[in-house]
Amino acid sequence: MAETLGFCEELRPEGCGFVLFGATGDLAARKVLPALFGLCEKGIAPRNFYVVLSGRTPLDRPALEARLAAALGRSGVPPRPAAFAAFLERVEYLRADYDSPAFYAGLAAKLEALDAKFGVRRRRLFYLATPPAAFEPVSARLREAGLLFDPKDCTCWSRLIIEKPYGSSLETAVSLASSLGRAVPEAQVYRIDHFTGKETVQNVLALRSANPVFDGTWNRAFVDHVQITVLEELGLEGREAFFEHMGLARDMMSHILQLAAITAMDLPASFHDADFKTEKKRFFDSLRLPAPADVPAMAVRGQYASYSGQPGVAPGSAAETFLAFRFFVDNDRWRDVPFYVRAGKKTGAKATRIAVVYKKPAAGVFGAMDIGYPNVFSFGIQPEERVDFTLIGKHPGPRLCFARREMGLDYRPVPGEAAKYPTDYERLLLEAMAGDRTLFLSYDEIRRMWEFLSPLLDSWREKPAACPLRTYPDGTPGPAEAAELLRRDGRDWV
Ligand SMILES: NC(=O)c1ccc[n+]([C@@H]2O[C@H](COP(=O)([O-])OP(=O)(O)OC[C@H]3O[C@@H](n4cnc5c(N)ncnc54)[C@H](OP(=O)(O)O)[C@@H]3O)[C@@H](O)[C@H]2O)c1
């Protein structure tokens, strides 16, 4: 087993109540409910802790328990009966009427009663797993009902957790932020991007921080370019109608830029929220925004062949299921180093990976020899959880002959250990309970993401012929033009 160093203690947050709106939906069933249960089962949820599940669907106690059992069963290993029974003791269901002040008054009374029962001091998280259109009215009603405490006023607190999409354009993102801002201060808004909760993503910064050999060369003097790959084997599988209004760029840009930020940001002075956010913001501020005229040359959009014709897809749909693009980070560390991104659905294999590709040697014994890129530092995020480093070494034998070699580090937890560690959603819920916003997205990041994305979306809408939607065969890694994007620069996807 690996020797552990540093801050290895898992801190158990102080007691709180967790209110889940939209508890009957897909996100709740697949992610939030299993994470709440997992935290309790692993013994890292607060000691004083309760959960209020809320939805418009009427559910009596047996129906609620059956739903919970089904959701937990689908999420992996069926829960152990004793752990499930203990979890149920902490859970209540409240039927919601999100437009009615009476509902919020009833909720307030229930929370007071549950605070008293579980020994919680008015510390509450409200997770809005509802359609985004409900964020504004629900947060406003919570405020009116006096359920969103200002932490300056008392030792109690309330936090709002929401999921992407954070708007569908720059204008709607700004509008959503200002309406949330009227309900709660920014410091109480927790915006989830579940990529940031992944061990493998956090490991990128851990490796960079702890190993000077890497970060010392993590700059334009040594690095030729960076590649970010987020490919999915599956297509939309019944979610086409939702995707028609979204497209891959809107759906994935937050994940892509979070991976870029963790790779390219300067190391923070500490891992505390404020230092981390300061450096992350500096990265986002350094992102070069595309000029509309540059879009055709910097981005390729595609759609897999079988997408059109699926139920819910408009004839001649322009929804992209694939995107490749190049961007630059205008700071001293990365100036003129290209970052290439490809992300897509139904591409034949699932692979989320970051590759830092080092420059070729300019001269010396290799001057005349084409050895390709000698060093590639590659982080497998999912499904492979590994770190690989490519080196050129001597091939065994009598002649001076060189061969490519891989050094690999399997980052999967030791079998048996995995069940003890928080999953990505468990980690994020735990951090929200602890009041640590390090892994959550700030409004600055969201706004900058839309400023980056808007020129692409505008160009595709206003000048579709200049940046055509390319069809790619199902099961292939995107249209040929995505390979061409790198080839024009004398590079290939690694
Ligand atoms: N599913 C995912 O994997 C995923 C991933 C990333 C982000 N998200 C985001 O997470 C949120 C929930 O997504 P979801 O996939 O779980 O959606 P969903 O399956 O449609 O569930 C949403 C839930 O909200 C409730 N609801 C529906 N309309 C409502 C309204 N007008 N006001 C209040 N509640 C309403 C419904 O329950 P009741 O009718 O019982 O109230 C429903 O169960 C969305 O903002 C989505 O964009 C989801």
Side-chain angles (χ1 to χ4, degrees):
M1 193 191 302
E3 181 195 6
T4 51
L5 306 161
F7 321 94
C8 291
E9 201 182 342
E10 194 71 77
L11 297 177
R12 191 195 283 268
E14 61 192 3
C16 62
F18 191 101
V19 182
L20 178 61
F21 292 134
T24 54
D26 176 67
L27 179 71
R30 288 193 309 109
K31 299 291 185 186
V32 188
L33 296 171
L36 289 169
F37 172 74
L39 288 173
C40 293
E41 190 191 32
K42 289 168 186 164
I44 43 182
R47 278 186 218 289
N48 302 346
F49 181 60
Y50 64 82
V51 176
V52 175
L53 304 179
S54 189
R56 297 172 309 179
T57 308
L59 290 179
D60 61 15
R61 191 75 196 175
L64 172 69
E65 294 185 6
R67 259 179 191 261
L68 279 172
L72 300 183
R74 275 199 304 274
S75 75
V77 189
R80 287 182 297 109
F84 187 50
F87 180 62
L88 287 177
E89 282 176 19
R90 296 173 185 265
V91 177
E92 299 234 357
Y93 185 78
L94 188 65
R95 188 181 171 189
D97 176 355
Y98 294 115
D99 297 328
S100 156
F103 163 66
Y104 296 92
L107 176 62
K110 180 166 277 294
L111 295 178
E112 291 294 336
L114 288 169
D115 276 0
K117 178 175 171 186
F118 287 93
V120 171
R121 295 193 305 177
R122 300 179 109 200
R123 291 170 173 159
R124 294 153 190 174
L125 293 115
F126 296 93
Y127 193 126
L128 308 190
T130 59
F135 293 171
E136 180 176 351
V138 169
S139 57
R141 296 263 190 221
L142 285 169
R143 179 94 208 167
E144 283 158 23
L147 282 163
L148 298 179
F149 314 123
D150 188 333
K152 287 203 258 11
D153 296 342
C154 55
T155 54
C156 43
W157 50 251
S158 37
R159 298 175 185 146
L160 215 54
I161 309 179
I162 55 174
E163 279 263 353
K164 68 168 181 151
Y166 304 111
S168 54
S169 63
L170 179 58
E171 292 72 29
T172 53
V174 170
S175 158
L176 172 63
S178 59
S179 53
L180 287 176
R182 284 192 290 278
V184 284
E186 168 71 9
Q188 287 167 261
V189 181
Y190 289 67
R191 297 180 188 83
I192 285 190
D193 181 317
H194 73 276
F195 270 41
T196 69
K198 290 185 183 301
E199 286 284 347
T200 40
V201 173
Q202 291 163 29
N203 189 35
V204 176
L205 215 58
L207 278 166
R208 287 185 54 199
S209 310
N211 300 284
V213 65
F214 299 129
D215 209 59
T217 60
W218 215 259
N219 56 52
R220 61 198 299 269
F222 293 91
V223 173
D224 181 79
H225 70 281
V226 178
Q227 298 187 11
I228 297 175
T229 297
V230 190
L231 298 179
E232 294 280 344
E233 185 174 11
L234 295 178
L236 271 303
E237 322 294 324
R239 293 196 307 131
E240 288 83 357
F242 155 80
F243 207 72
E244 280 287 282
H245 306 289
M246 177 69 72
L248 186 115
R250 282 189 180 88
D251 194 34
M252 295 301 292
M253 194 53 81
S254 164
H255 299 323
I256 291 166
L257 293 184
Q258 288 304 315
L259 294 181
I262 216 89
T263 307
M265 65 191 268
D266 282 353
L267 294 176
S270 80
F271 284 111
H272 291 127
D273 185 358
D275 288 336
F276 186 83
K277 281 283 191 300
T278 300
E279 287 308 337
K280 201 147 164 244
K281 181 174 184 315
R282 276 158 43 96
F283 162 78
F284 274 92
D285 289 346
S286 304
L287 259 186
R288 188 188 299 173
L289 301 182
D294 296 340
V295 172
M298 67 165 273
V300 173
R301 58 183 178 138
Q303 190 185 77
Y304 60 82
S306 69
Y307 180 82
S308 63
Q310 294 297 316
V313 174
S317 164
E320 78 284 354
T321 62
F322 180 93
L323 172 66
F325 62 99
R326 184 187 63 189
F327 71 93
F328 290 92
V329 180
D330 286 330
N331 60 19
D332 289 346
R333 186 188 279 268
W334 296 114
R335 187 160 293 108
D336 299 329
V337 175
F339 285 67
Y340 299 98
V341 174
R342 59 179 166 165
K345 307 275 184 196
K346 227 175 181 72
T347 56
K350 184 177 175 71
T352 302
R353 198 170 51 234
I354 301 164
V356 177
V357 182
Y358 283 76
K359 290 182 176 177
K360 298 176 186 183
V365 288
F366 298 107
M369 209 185 294
D370 182 11
I371 59 166
Y373 287 107
N375 303 140
V376 178
F377 198 176
S378 167
F379 298 89
I381 306 293
Q382 61 181 14
E384 292 206 313
E385 300 179 31
R386 354 183 352 101
V387 177
D388 287 292
F389 191 53
T390 308
L391 293 158
I392 306 283
K394 182 182 175 301
H395 193 276
R399 299 193 57 204
L400 190 56
C401 176
F402 294 89
R404 193 170 296 281
R405 292 278 185 263
E406 295 255 318
M407 285 166 53
L409 175 64
D410 190 339
Y411 206 70
R412 282 169 308 174
V414 177
E417 289 275 290
K420 286 194 261 171
Y421 301 149
T423 62
D424 49 4
Y425 261 81
E426 289 168 9
R427 164 64 56 210
L428 290 167
L429 298 190
L430 202 58
E431 300 296 316
M433 290 172 197
D436 188 331
R437 296 173 75 241
T438 308
L439 299 179
F440 297 87
L441 312 195
S442 65
Y443 169 58
D444 290 333
E445 292 167 44
I446 302 295
R447 187 180 38 73
R448 195 68 176 166
M449 176 192 83
W450 282 111
E451 286 170 357
F452 183 84
L453 184 52
S454 297
L456 274 73
L457 299 174
D458 293 348
S459 297
W460 297 342
R461 193 181 55 249
E462 289 160 16
K463 294 185 181 154
C467 196
L469 184 70
R470 311 283 184 182
T471 304
Y472 58 98
D474 292 19
T476 62
E481 287 77 5
E484 195 49 37
L485 184 74
L486 271 73
R487 218 158 281 147
R488 277 202 309 264
D489 294 347
R491 301 180 172 103
D492 286 302
W493 295 105
V494 292

